[in-house]
mmCIF file of all heavy atoms in Angstrom:
data_model
loop_
_atom_site.group_PDB
_atom_site.id
_atom_site.type_symbol
_atom_site.label_atom_id
_atom_site.label_comp_id
_atom_site.label_asym_id
_atom_site.label_seq_id
_atom_site.Cartn_x
_atom_site.Cartn_y
_atom_site.Cartn_z
ATOM 1 N N VAL B 19 3.970 19.186 -11.216
ATOM 2 C CA VAL B 19 2.545 18.677 -10.992
ATOM 3 C C VAL B 19 2.370 18.529 -9.433
ATOM 4 O O VAL B 19 3.263 18.022 -8.752
ATOM 5 C CB VAL B 19 2.393 17.187 -11.577
ATOM 6 C CG1 VAL B 19 1.046 16.617 -11.190
ATOM 7 C CG2 VAL B 19 2.616 17.359 -13.120
ATOM 8 N N LYS B 20 1.157 18.905 -8.822
ATOM 9 C CA LYS B 20 1.056 18.855 -7.497
ATOM 10 C C LYS B 20 -0.113 17.701 -7.285
ATOM 11 O O LYS B 20 -1.186 17.829 -7.988
ATOM 12 C CB LYS B 20 0.557 20.146 -6.990
ATOM 13 C CG LYS B 20 0.247 20.129 -5.441
ATOM 14 C CD LYS B 20 -0.248 21.453 -4.905
ATOM 15 C CE LYS B 20 0.848 22.398 -4.618
ATOM 16 N NZ LYS B 20 0.355 23.579 -3.905
ATOM 17 N N ILE B 21 0.094 16.902 -6.358
ATOM 18 C CA ILE B 21 -0.929 15.903 -5.929
ATOM 19 C C ILE B 21 -1.246 16.141 -4.547
ATOM 20 O O ILE B 21 -0.415 16.382 -3.622
ATOM 21 C CB ILE B 21 -0.348 14.517 -6.230
ATOM 22 C CG1 ILE B 21 0.241 14.298 -7.531
ATOM 23 C CG2 ILE B 21 -1.265 13.469 -5.804
ATOM 24 C CD1 ILE B 21 0.967 12.985 -7.773
ATOM 25 N N GLU B 22 -2.606 16.182 -4.240
ATOM 26 C CA GLU B 22 -3.084 16.385 -2.935
ATOM 27 C C GLU B 22 -3.727 15.148 -2.178
ATOM 28 O O GLU B 22 -4.406 14.453 -2.921
ATOM 29 C CB GLU B 22 -4.122 17.491 -2.946
ATOM 30 C CG GLU B 22 -3.709 18.979 -3.116
ATOM 31 C CD GLU B 22 -4.829 19.920 -2.879
ATOM 32 O OE1 GLU B 22 -5.895 19.519 -2.653
ATOM 33 O OE2 GLU B 22 -4.505 21.157 -2.961
ATOM 34 N N CYS B 23 -3.431 15.137 -0.924
ATOM 35 C CA CYS B 23 -4.170 14.124 -0.204
ATOM 36 C C CYS B 23 -4.772 14.665 0.997
ATOM 37 O O CYS B 23 -4.020 15.394 1.811
ATOM 38 C CB CYS B 23 -3.128 12.896 0.185
ATOM 39 S SG CYS B 23 -3.118 11.636 -0.936
ATOM 40 N N ARG B 24 -6.030 14.385 1.229
ATOM 41 C CA ARG B 24 -6.696 14.908 2.424
ATOM 42 C C ARG B 24 -7.357 13.804 3.199
ATOM 43 O O ARG B 24 -7.999 12.994 2.590
ATOM 44 C CB ARG B 24 -7.883 15.977 1.996
ATOM 45 C CG ARG B 24 -7.394 17.224 1.345
ATOM 46 C CD ARG B 24 -8.553 18.077 0.944
ATOM 47 N NE ARG B 24 -8.049 19.317 0.280
ATOM 48 C CZ ARG B 24 -7.705 20.407 0.871
ATOM 49 N NH1 ARG B 24 -7.797 20.494 2.232
ATOM 50 N NH2 ARG B 24 -7.292 21.470 0.220
ATOM 51 N N SER B 25 -7.190 13.874 4.470
ATOM 52 C CA SER B 25 -7.891 12.878 5.352
ATOM 53 C C SER B 25 -9.177 13.689 5.699
ATOM 54 O O SER B 25 -9.248 14.779 6.249
ATOM 55 C CB SER B 25 -7.094 12.624 6.676
ATOM 56 O OG SER B 25 -6.759 13.761 7.272
ATOM 57 N N LEU B 26 -10.319 12.953 5.373
ATOM 58 C CA LEU B 26 -11.600 13.677 5.409
ATOM 59 C C LEU B 26 -12.230 13.730 6.777
ATOM 60 O O LEU B 26 -12.926 14.591 7.123
ATOM 61 C CB LEU B 26 -12.670 13.062 4.454
ATOM 62 C CG LEU B 26 -12.144 13.155 2.932
ATOM 63 C CD1 LEU B 26 -13.210 12.694 2.019
ATOM 64 C CD2 LEU B 26 -11.806 14.666 2.553
ATOM 65 N N ASP B 27 -12.019 12.637 7.608
ATOM 66 C CA ASP B 27 -12.824 12.560 8.787
ATOM 67 C C ASP B 27 -11.909 12.239 10.031
ATOM 68 O O ASP B 27 -12.403 11.668 11.026
ATOM 69 C CB ASP B 27 -13.870 11.608 8.734
ATOM 70 C CG ASP B 27 -13.480 10.272 8.133
ATOM 71 O OD1 ASP B 27 -12.303 10.152 7.869
ATOM 72 O OD2 ASP B 27 -14.404 9.472 7.891
ATOM 73 N N PHE B 28 -10.563 12.428 9.757
ATOM 74 C CA PHE B 28 -9.690 12.204 10.900
ATOM 75 C C PHE B 28 -8.485 13.001 10.663
ATOM 76 O O PHE B 28 -8.231 13.533 9.605
ATOM 77 C CB PHE B 28 -9.326 10.624 10.999
ATOM 78 C CG PHE B 28 -8.532 10.139 9.919
ATOM 79 C CD1 PHE B 28 -7.210 9.939 10.003
ATOM 80 C CD2 PHE B 28 -9.111 9.786 8.638
ATOM 81 C CE1 PHE B 28 -6.372 9.490 8.899
ATOM 82 C CE2 PHE B 28 -8.397 9.265 7.569
ATOM 83 C CZ PHE B 28 -7.066 9.036 7.785
ATOM 84 N N GLN B 29 -7.696 13.152 11.706
ATOM 85 C CA GLN B 29 -6.416 13.878 11.555
ATOM 86 C C GLN B 29 -5.258 12.936 11.464
ATOM 87 O O GLN B 29 -5.132 11.979 12.306
ATOM 88 C CB GLN B 29 -6.278 14.716 12.852
ATOM 89 C CG GLN B 29 -7.296 15.891 13.012
ATOM 90 C CD GLN B 29 -7.074 16.800 14.232
ATOM 91 O OE1 GLN B 29 -6.512 16.281 15.215
ATOM 92 N NE2 GLN B 29 -7.315 18.025 14.050
ATOM 93 N N ALA B 30 -4.554 13.114 10.464
ATOM 94 C CA ALA B 30 -3.416 12.267 10.131
ATOM 95 C C ALA B 30 -2.120 12.738 10.620
ATOM 96 O O ALA B 30 -1.616 13.746 10.280
ATOM 97 C CB ALA B 30 -3.325 12.002 8.600
ATOM 98 N N THR B 31 -1.647 12.086 11.629
ATOM 99 C CA THR B 31 -0.326 12.417 12.243
ATOM 100 C C THR B 31 0.795 12.212 11.300
ATOM 101 O O THR B 31 1.722 12.963 11.271
ATOM 102 C CB THR B 31 -0.162 11.682 13.483
ATOM 103 O OG1 THR B 31 -0.302 10.250 13.253
ATOM 104 C CG2 THR B 31 -1.087 12.030 14.644
ATOM 105 N N THR B 32 0.706 11.146 10.496
ATOM 106 C CA THR B 32 1.701 10.926 9.507
ATOM 107 C C THR B 32 1.128 10.634 8.174
ATOM 108 O O THR B 32 0.126 9.858 8.038
ATOM 109 C CB THR B 32 2.586 9.651 9.994
ATOM 110 O OG1 THR B 32 3.037 9.958 11.370
ATOM 111 C CG2 THR B 32 3.697 9.391 9.100
ATOM 112 N N MET B 33 1.799 11.067 7.075
ATOM 113 C CA MET B 33 1.448 10.767 5.766
ATOM 114 C C MET B 33 2.590 10.104 5.092
ATOM 115 O O MET B 33 3.782 10.524 5.279
ATOM 116 C CB MET B 33 1.044 12.046 5.029
ATOM 117 C CG MET B 33 -0.313 12.658 5.393
ATOM 118 S SD MET B 33 -1.594 12.132 4.334
ATOM 119 C CE MET B 33 -2.842 13.357 4.717
ATOM 120 N N PHE B 34 2.333 9.065 4.204
ATOM 121 C CA PHE B 34 3.263 8.353 3.466
ATOM 122 C C PHE B 34 2.954 8.504 1.957
ATOM 123 O O PHE B 34 1.835 8.529 1.606
ATOM 124 C CB PHE B 34 3.170 6.857 3.806
ATOM 125 C CG PHE B 34 3.428 6.606 5.286
ATOM 126 C CD1 PHE B 34 2.437 6.502 6.075
ATOM 127 C CD2 PHE B 34 4.751 6.324 5.808
ATOM 128 C CE1 PHE B 34 2.592 6.244 7.509
ATOM 129 C CE2 PHE B 34 4.902 5.962 7.160
ATOM 130 C CZ PHE B 34 3.754 5.887 7.947
ATOM 131 N N TRP B 35 4.039 8.647 1.190
ATOM 132 C CA TRP B 35 3.798 8.711 -0.236
ATOM 133 C C TRP B 35 4.587 7.544 -0.879
ATOM 134 O O TRP B 35 5.761 7.294 -0.548
ATOM 135 C CB TRP B 35 4.433 10.086 -0.650
ATOM 136 C CG TRP B 35 3.567 11.167 -0.435
ATOM 137 C CD1 TRP B 35 3.632 12.073 0.705
ATOM 138 C CD2 TRP B 35 2.373 11.684 -1.237
ATOM 139 N NE1 TRP B 35 2.665 12.942 0.600
ATOM 140 C CE2 TRP B 35 1.923 12.791 -0.480
ATOM 141 C CE3 TRP B 35 1.826 11.329 -2.254
ATOM 142 C CZ2 TRP B 35 0.797 13.518 -0.988
ATOM 143 C CZ3 TRP B 35 0.664 11.909 -2.687
ATOM 144 C CH2 TRP B 35 0.167 13.057 -2.037
ATOM 145 N N TYR B 36 3.803 6.902 -1.797
ATOM 146 C CA TYR B 36 4.425 5.696 -2.430
ATOM 147 C C TYR B 36 4.329 5.900 -4.022
ATOM 148 O O TYR B 36 3.563 6.683 -4.406
ATOM 149 C CB TYR B 36 3.556 4.514 -2.158
ATOM 150 C CG TYR B 36 3.507 4.069 -0.715
ATOM 151 C CD1 TYR B 36 2.615 4.615 0.124
ATOM 152 C CD2 TYR B 36 4.339 3.076 -0.242
ATOM 153 C CE1 TYR B 36 2.703 4.211 1.461
ATOM 154 C CE2 TYR B 36 4.444 2.706 1.094
ATOM 155 C CZ TYR B 36 3.552 3.250 1.899
ATOM 156 O OH TYR B 36 3.366 2.744 3.264
ATOM 157 N N ARG B 37 5.159 5.117 -4.602
ATOM 158 C CA ARG B 37 5.234 5.133 -6.101
ATOM 159 C C ARG B 37 5.031 3.667 -6.453
ATOM 160 O O ARG B 37 5.689 2.734 -5.877
ATOM 161 C CB ARG B 37 6.552 5.710 -6.574
ATOM 162 C CG ARG B 37 6.738 5.790 -8.053
ATOM 163 C CD ARG B 37 8.034 6.579 -8.322
ATOM 164 N NE ARG B 37 8.073 6.700 -9.790
ATOM 165 C CZ ARG B 37 9.121 7.324 -10.397
ATOM 166 N NH1 ARG B 37 10.096 7.896 -9.635
ATOM 167 N NH2 ARG B 37 9.124 7.473 -11.676
ATOM 168 N N GLN B 38 4.242 3.449 -7.526
ATOM 169 C CA GLN B 38 4.182 2.125 -8.008
ATOM 170 C C GLN B 38 4.201 1.984 -9.481
ATOM 171 O O GLN B 38 3.479 2.690 -10.172
ATOM 172 C CB GLN B 38 2.701 1.662 -7.570
ATOM 173 C CG GLN B 38 2.387 0.134 -7.887
ATOM 174 C CD GLN B 38 1.025 -0.226 -7.415
ATOM 175 O OE1 GLN B 38 0.104 0.520 -7.484
ATOM 176 N NE2 GLN B 38 0.887 -1.590 -7.156
ATOM 177 N N PHE B 39 5.131 1.302 -9.976
ATOM 178 C CA PHE B 39 5.339 0.967 -11.365
ATOM 179 C C PHE B 39 4.378 -0.154 -11.713
ATOM 180 O O PHE B 39 4.008 -0.950 -10.961
ATOM 181 C CB PHE B 39 6.798 0.644 -11.749
ATOM 182 C CG PHE B 39 7.670 1.838 -11.588
ATOM 183 C CD1 PHE B 39 8.560 1.973 -10.578
ATOM 184 C CD2 PHE B 39 7.596 2.918 -12.503
ATOM 185 C CE1 PHE B 39 9.322 3.149 -10.455
ATOM 186 C CE2 PHE B 39 8.457 4.013 -12.410
ATOM 187 C CZ PHE B 39 9.275 4.089 -11.432
ATOM 188 N N PRO B 40 4.055 -0.286 -13.005
ATOM 189 C CA PRO B 40 3.112 -1.275 -13.501
ATOM 190 C C PRO B 40 3.507 -2.720 -13.000
ATOM 191 O O PRO B 40 4.600 -3.051 -13.078
ATOM 192 C CB PRO B 40 3.129 -1.246 -15.052
ATOM 193 C CG PRO B 40 3.481 0.317 -15.279
ATOM 194 C CD PRO B 40 4.430 0.635 -14.169
ATOM 195 N N LYS B 41 2.501 -3.441 -12.519
ATOM 196 C CA LYS B 41 2.689 -4.776 -11.983
ATOM 197 C C LYS B 41 3.864 -4.948 -11.011
ATOM 198 O O LYS B 41 4.496 -6.009 -10.840
ATOM 199 C CB LYS B 41 3.073 -5.652 -13.406
ATOM 200 C CG LYS B 41 1.941 -5.680 -14.305
ATOM 201 C CD LYS B 41 2.139 -6.804 -15.358
ATOM 202 C CE LYS B 41 1.146 -6.706 -16.411
ATOM 203 N NZ LYS B 41 -0.257 -7.000 -15.931
ATOM 204 N N GLN B 42 4.083 -3.819 -10.166
ATOM 205 C CA GLN B 42 5.070 -3.918 -9.192
ATOM 206 C C GLN B 42 4.482 -3.492 -7.872
ATOM 207 O O GLN B 42 3.349 -3.077 -7.860
ATOM 208 C CB GLN B 42 6.326 -3.129 -9.536
ATOM 209 C CG GLN B 42 7.060 -3.558 -10.684
ATOM 210 C CD GLN B 42 8.383 -2.877 -10.804
ATOM 211 O OE1 GLN B 42 8.942 -2.280 -9.982
ATOM 212 N NE2 GLN B 42 8.884 -2.797 -12.055
ATOM 213 N N SER B 43 5.229 -3.698 -6.799
ATOM 214 C CA SER B 43 4.732 -3.358 -5.529
ATOM 215 C C SER B 43 4.902 -1.853 -5.265
ATOM 216 O O SER B 43 5.281 -1.104 -6.060
ATOM 217 C CB SER B 43 5.501 -4.166 -4.469
ATOM 218 O OG SER B 43 4.809 -3.982 -3.251
ATOM 219 N N LEU B 44 4.401 -1.477 -4.133
ATOM 220 C CA LEU B 44 4.473 -0.050 -3.690
ATOM 221 C C LEU B 44 5.900 0.256 -3.081
ATOM 222 O O LEU B 44 6.309 -0.462 -2.257
ATOM 223 C CB LEU B 44 3.446 0.298 -2.763
ATOM 224 C CG LEU B 44 2.067 0.596 -3.195
ATOM 225 C CD1 LEU B 44 1.283 -0.611 -3.605
ATOM 226 C CD2 LEU B 44 1.135 1.325 -2.093
ATOM 227 N N MET B 45 6.464 1.260 -3.584
ATOM 228 C CA MET B 45 7.754 1.636 -2.968
ATOM 229 C C MET B 45 7.577 2.958 -2.254
ATOM 230 O O MET B 45 7.094 3.943 -2.746
ATOM 231 C CB MET B 45 8.815 1.882 -4.135
ATOM 232 C CG MET B 45 9.032 0.586 -4.992
ATOM 233 S SD MET B 45 9.604 -0.816 -3.984
ATOM 234 C CE MET B 45 11.155 -0.197 -3.405
ATOM 235 N N LEU B 46 8.003 2.883 -0.958
ATOM 236 C CA LEU B 46 7.858 4.048 -0.078
ATOM 237 C C LEU B 46 8.808 5.148 -0.605
ATOM 238 O O LEU B 46 10.089 4.950 -0.814
ATOM 239 C CB LEU B 46 8.114 3.784 1.351
ATOM 240 C CG LEU B 46 7.925 4.927 2.320
ATOM 241 C CD1 LEU B 46 6.641 5.489 2.382
ATOM 242 C CD2 LEU B 46 8.452 4.481 3.713
ATOM 243 N N MET B 47 8.306 6.348 -0.846
ATOM 244 C CA MET B 47 9.250 7.461 -1.303
ATOM 245 C C MET B 47 9.614 8.333 -0.120
ATOM 246 O O MET B 47 10.790 8.726 0.100
ATOM 247 C CB MET B 47 8.359 8.376 -2.217
ATOM 248 C CG MET B 47 8.065 7.699 -3.562
ATOM 249 S SD MET B 47 7.001 8.771 -4.579
ATOM 250 C CE MET B 47 8.233 10.076 -4.961
ATOM 251 N N ALA B 48 8.541 8.620 0.779
ATOM 252 C CA ALA B 48 8.907 9.549 1.896
ATOM 253 C C ALA B 48 7.807 9.524 2.998
ATOM 254 O O ALA B 48 6.651 9.078 2.616
ATOM 255 C CB ALA B 48 9.085 11.046 1.441
ATOM 256 N N THR B 49 8.162 9.868 4.215
ATOM 257 C CA THR B 49 7.309 9.930 5.237
ATOM 258 C C THR B 49 7.167 11.327 5.768
ATOM 259 O O THR B 49 8.218 12.087 5.917
ATOM 260 C CB THR B 49 7.728 9.070 6.439
ATOM 261 O OG1 THR B 49 7.900 7.767 5.924
ATOM 262 C CG2 THR B 49 6.856 8.999 7.687
ATOM 263 N N SER B 50 6.016 11.908 5.997
ATOM 264 C CA SER B 50 5.956 13.257 6.454
ATOM 265 C C SER B 50 5.087 13.335 7.753
ATOM 266 O O SER B 50 4.027 12.733 7.847
ATOM 267 C CB SER B 50 5.452 14.240 5.385
ATOM 268 O OG SER B 50 4.055 14.048 5.078
ATOM 269 N N ASN B 51 5.522 14.059 8.682
ATOM 270 C CA ASN B 51 4.730 14.465 9.808
ATOM 271 C C ASN B 51 4.315 15.916 9.752
ATOM 272 O O ASN B 51 5.043 16.731 9.346
ATOM 273 C CB ASN B 51 5.536 14.154 11.129
ATOM 274 C CG ASN B 51 5.740 12.705 11.303
ATOM 275 O OD1 ASN B 51 4.877 11.845 11.473
ATOM 276 N ND2 ASN B 51 7.054 12.262 11.196
ATOM 277 N N GLU B 52 3.147 16.199 10.298
ATOM 278 C CA GLU B 52 2.648 17.607 10.158
ATOM 279 C C GLU B 52 3.566 18.579 10.796
ATOM 280 O O GLU B 52 4.047 18.363 11.939
ATOM 281 C CB GLU B 52 1.212 17.588 10.909
ATOM 282 C CG GLU B 52 0.575 18.955 10.773
ATOM 283 C CD GLU B 52 0.833 19.806 12.077
ATOM 284 O OE1 GLU B 52 1.142 19.200 13.104
ATOM 285 O OE2 GLU B 52 0.605 20.938 12.003
ATOM 286 N N GLY B 53 3.853 19.553 10.019
ATOM 287 C CA GLY B 53 4.700 20.717 10.556
ATOM 288 C C GLY B 53 6.233 20.477 10.563
ATOM 289 O O GLY B 53 6.963 21.278 10.890
ATOM 290 N N SER B 54 6.640 19.323 10.020
ATOM 291 C CA SER B 54 8.093 19.003 9.947
ATOM 292 C C SER B 54 8.548 18.599 8.563
ATOM 293 O O SER B 54 7.587 18.243 7.802
ATOM 294 C CB SER B 54 8.420 17.989 11.029
ATOM 295 O OG SER B 54 7.921 16.793 10.856
ATOM 296 N N LYS B 55 9.788 18.628 8.394
ATOM 297 C CA LYS B 55 10.227 18.192 7.063
ATOM 298 C C LYS B 55 10.050 16.683 6.837
ATOM 299 O O LYS B 55 10.189 15.799 7.833
ATOM 300 C CB LYS B 55 11.681 18.446 6.943
ATOM 301 C CG LYS B 55 12.050 20.029 6.888
ATOM 302 C CD LYS B 55 13.521 20.258 6.641
ATOM 303 C CE LYS B 55 13.880 21.666 6.399
ATOM 304 N NZ LYS B 55 15.276 22.020 6.190
ATOM 305 N N ALA B 56 9.849 16.347 5.594
ATOM 306 C CA ALA B 56 9.685 14.943 5.231
ATOM 307 C C ALA B 56 10.934 14.211 5.297
ATOM 308 O O ALA B 56 12.018 14.750 5.103
ATOM 309 C CB ALA B 56 9.084 14.795 3.908
ATOM 310 N N THR B 57 10.774 12.912 5.633
ATOM 311 C CA THR B 57 11.902 12.085 5.626
ATOM 312 C C THR B 57 11.902 11.074 4.370
ATOM 313 O O THR B 57 10.919 10.394 4.135
ATOM 314 C CB THR B 57 11.946 11.101 6.903
ATOM 315 O OG1 THR B 57 11.862 11.845 8.053
ATOM 316 C CG2 THR B 57 13.135 10.179 6.867
ATOM 317 N N TYR B 58 12.961 11.253 3.506
ATOM 318 C CA TYR B 58 12.949 10.598 2.205
ATOM 319 C C TYR B 58 13.701 9.370 2.286
ATOM 320 O O TYR B 58 14.700 9.147 3.025
ATOM 321 C CB TYR B 58 13.588 11.524 1.195
ATOM 322 C CG TYR B 58 12.690 12.721 0.841
ATOM 323 C CD1 TYR B 58 12.730 13.885 1.704
ATOM 324 C CD2 TYR B 58 11.876 12.696 -0.275
ATOM 325 C CE1 TYR B 58 11.875 14.885 1.393
ATOM 326 C CE2 TYR B 58 11.125 13.825 -0.623
ATOM 327 C CZ TYR B 58 11.090 14.914 0.198
ATOM 328 O OH TYR B 58 10.310 15.983 -0.089
ATOM 329 N N GLU B 59 13.177 8.335 1.528
ATOM 330 C CA GLU B 59 13.832 7.103 1.430
ATOM 331 C C GLU B 59 15.216 7.116 0.583
ATOM 332 O O GLU B 59 15.212 8.121 -0.292
ATOM 333 C CB GLU B 59 12.914 6.010 0.782
ATOM 334 C CG GLU B 59 11.750 5.719 1.775
ATOM 335 C CD GLU B 59 12.158 5.161 3.001
ATOM 336 O OE1 GLU B 59 12.854 4.068 3.074
ATOM 337 O OE2 GLU B 59 11.835 5.676 4.113
ATOM 338 N N GLN B 60 16.034 6.267 0.828
ATOM 339 C CA GLN B 60 17.250 6.393 0.089
ATOM 340 C C GLN B 60 16.989 6.342 -1.493
ATOM 341 O O GLN B 60 16.219 5.426 -1.890
ATOM 342 C CB GLN B 60 18.071 5.133 0.480
ATOM 343 C CG GLN B 60 19.534 5.207 -0.168
ATOM 344 C CD GLN B 60 20.429 4.152 0.612
ATOM 345 O OE1 GLN B 60 19.965 3.220 1.196
ATOM 346 N NE2 GLN B 60 21.780 4.226 0.377
ATOM 347 N N GLY B 61 17.652 7.146 -2.222
ATOM 348 C CA GLY B 61 17.424 7.133 -3.711
ATOM 349 C C GLY B 61 16.400 8.075 -4.181
ATOM 350 O O GLY B 61 16.194 8.213 -5.400
ATOM 351 N N VAL B 62 15.479 8.631 -3.287
ATOM 352 C CA VAL B 62 14.549 9.502 -3.688
ATOM 353 C C VAL B 62 14.991 11.051 -3.589
ATOM 354 O O VAL B 62 15.436 11.403 -2.601
ATOM 355 C CB VAL B 62 13.201 9.351 -2.805
ATOM 356 C CG1 VAL B 62 12.153 10.404 -3.198
ATOM 357 C CG2 VAL B 62 12.712 7.945 -2.836
ATOM 358 N N GLU B 63 14.858 11.774 -4.724
ATOM 359 C CA GLU B 63 15.499 13.015 -4.683
ATOM 360 C C GLU B 63 14.362 13.993 -4.084
ATOM 361 O O GLU B 63 13.253 14.261 -4.594
ATOM 362 C CB GLU B 63 15.600 13.482 -6.136
ATOM 363 C CG GLU B 63 16.561 12.656 -6.955
ATOM 364 C CD GLU B 63 16.593 13.117 -8.424
ATOM 365 O OE1 GLU B 63 16.950 14.311 -8.615
ATOM 366 O OE2 GLU B 63 16.318 12.328 -9.329
ATOM 367 N N LYS B 64 14.818 14.602 -2.927
ATOM 368 C CA LYS B 64 13.885 15.486 -2.307
ATOM 369 C C LYS B 64 13.690 16.831 -2.944
ATOM 370 O O LYS B 64 12.692 17.521 -2.791
ATOM 371 C CB LYS B 64 14.451 15.857 -0.876
ATOM 372 C CG LYS B 64 15.824 16.461 -0.760
ATOM 373 C CD LYS B 64 16.159 16.621 0.700
ATOM 374 C CE LYS B 64 17.522 17.326 0.750
ATOM 375 N NZ LYS B 64 18.021 17.409 2.168
ATOM 376 N N ASP B 65 14.611 17.266 -3.856
ATOM 377 C CA ASP B 65 14.359 18.444 -4.607
ATOM 378 C C ASP B 65 13.369 18.274 -5.781
ATOM 379 O O ASP B 65 12.993 19.199 -6.351
ATOM 380 C CB ASP B 65 15.661 18.986 -5.111
ATOM 381 C CG ASP B 65 16.619 19.440 -3.953
ATOM 382 O OD1 ASP B 65 16.093 19.856 -3.003
ATOM 383 O OD2 ASP B 65 17.893 19.420 -4.135
ATOM 384 N N LYS B 66 13.237 17.045 -6.170
ATOM 385 C CA LYS B 66 12.323 16.663 -7.200
ATOM 386 C C LYS B 66 11.071 16.358 -6.746
ATOM 387 O O LYS B 66 10.004 16.721 -7.270
ATOM 388 C CB LYS B 66 12.886 15.478 -7.993
ATOM 389 C CG LYS B 66 12.012 15.051 -9.153
ATOM 390 C CD LYS B 66 12.690 14.206 -10.120
ATOM 391 C CE LYS B 66 12.027 14.254 -11.504
ATOM 392 N NZ LYS B 66 11.899 15.521 -12.044
ATOM 393 N N PHE B 67 10.874 15.707 -5.660
ATOM 394 C CA PHE B 67 9.619 15.308 -5.050
ATOM 395 C C PHE B 67 9.492 15.988 -3.733
ATOM 396 O O PHE B 67 9.798 15.625 -2.732
ATOM 397 C CB PHE B 67 9.568 13.800 -4.824
ATOM 398 C CG PHE B 67 9.740 12.853 -6.048
ATOM 399 C CD1 PHE B 67 10.936 12.400 -6.438
ATOM 400 C CD2 PHE B 67 8.650 12.683 -6.865
ATOM 401 C CE1 PHE B 67 11.107 11.574 -7.541
ATOM 402 C CE2 PHE B 67 8.815 12.041 -8.034
ATOM 403 C CZ PHE B 67 9.995 11.423 -8.368
#
Side-chain angles (χ1 to χ4, degrees):
Chain B
V19 175
K20 181 185 281 189
I21 302 169
E22 285 191 356
C23 265
R24 293 181 184 272
S25 55
L26 296 186
D27 47 6
F28 66 100
Q29 292 185 326
T31 52
T32 304
M33 287 265 198
F34 302 89
W35 287 94
Y36 295 87
R37 184 174 182 175
Q38 185 181 30
F39 289 106
K41 299 190 185 301
Q42 293 190 24
S43 188
L44 280 73
M45 299 302 298
L46 180 64
M47 299 174 66
T49 303
S50 73
N51 293 294
E52 182 263 341
S54 61
K55 287 185 179 180
T57 302
Y58 289 80
E59 296 298 301
Q60 194 172 6
V62 178
E63 300 175 60
K64 61 181 179 182
D65 294 331
K66 178 163 198 60
F67 299 101

